[in-house]
Amino acid sequence: IEASPHRLIQMLMEGGLARIPQARGAMEREQTALKGELIGKSIAIIAGLRESLDHQQGGEVAGNLDTLYEYMINRLTEANVSNEPAILEEVSGLLRNVKAGWDAIAQ
C-alpha cells in the first residue's frame, strides 16, 4: 500500500515531533552523542519538509513555511550547542502548529 503525498508529509512531521522530545530526554541525561544524533535527525526531517515545498503552487504560504522551517533548523542547531531544552519546546510547538494546519487540509 502506498502513502499519498499528503500522508508522507504527515509522517515526516510525526517523525520530527517524535525525535524532538527524545532529544530533550537525551539532553537532560547528558547523553551528548545521542542528543546530537536526534537533533540531527530532526533537522534532516525539517530540511526534507522544506525541500518538499512547491513554491510554484504554494505561493506566499510556501514562502512563509520556507522561512519558518529555516528558523526551526537554526533554532535546533542552537539548542544542540546551548543545551537549552526550552528551544526544543519552542520548535516542537511550531511544528505541532504546522502539522495541525496540514492535518486540516483534505487529502
Side-chain angles (χ1 to χ4, degrees):
I1 203 163
E2 277 191 37
S4 68
H6 186 271
R7 180 67 190 126
L8 289 172
I9 297 295
Q10 280 179 319
M11 289 164 61
L12 277 172
M13 291 180 186
E14 288 162 7
L17 287 170
R19 282 175 188 74
I20 293 171
Q22 291 169 353
R24 182 184 177 140
M27 185 183 283
E28 289 167 352
R29 292 186 300 275
E30 298 181 13
Q31 296 172 309
T32 308
L34 181 61
K35 174 203 71 172
E37 182 184 327
L38 290 163
I39 289 177
K41 286 180 180 177
S42 301
I43 288 171
I45 287 168
I46 293 170
L49 290 168
R50 192 174 177 203
E51 288 164 20
S52 74
L53 292 171
D54 184 339
H55 290 275
Q56 293 288 343
Q57 298 281 314
E60 188 182 346
V61 172
N64 290 342
L65 281 171
D66 185 64
T67 301
L68 183 60
Y69 289 147
E70 180 182 26
Y71 174 79
M72 289 178 181
I73 289 167
N74 290 337
R75 292 294 281 164
L76 286 170
T77 303
E78 192 178 324
N80 195 27
V81 173
S82 68
N83 278 316
E84 193 54 61
I87 299 173
L88 295 178
E89 291 304 308
E90 175 197 3
V91 174
S92 198
L94 292 169
L95 190 53
R96 267 194 306 276
N97 287 342
V98 173
K99 184 178 183 306
W102 185 257
D103 291 347
I105 298 170
Q107 291 193 32

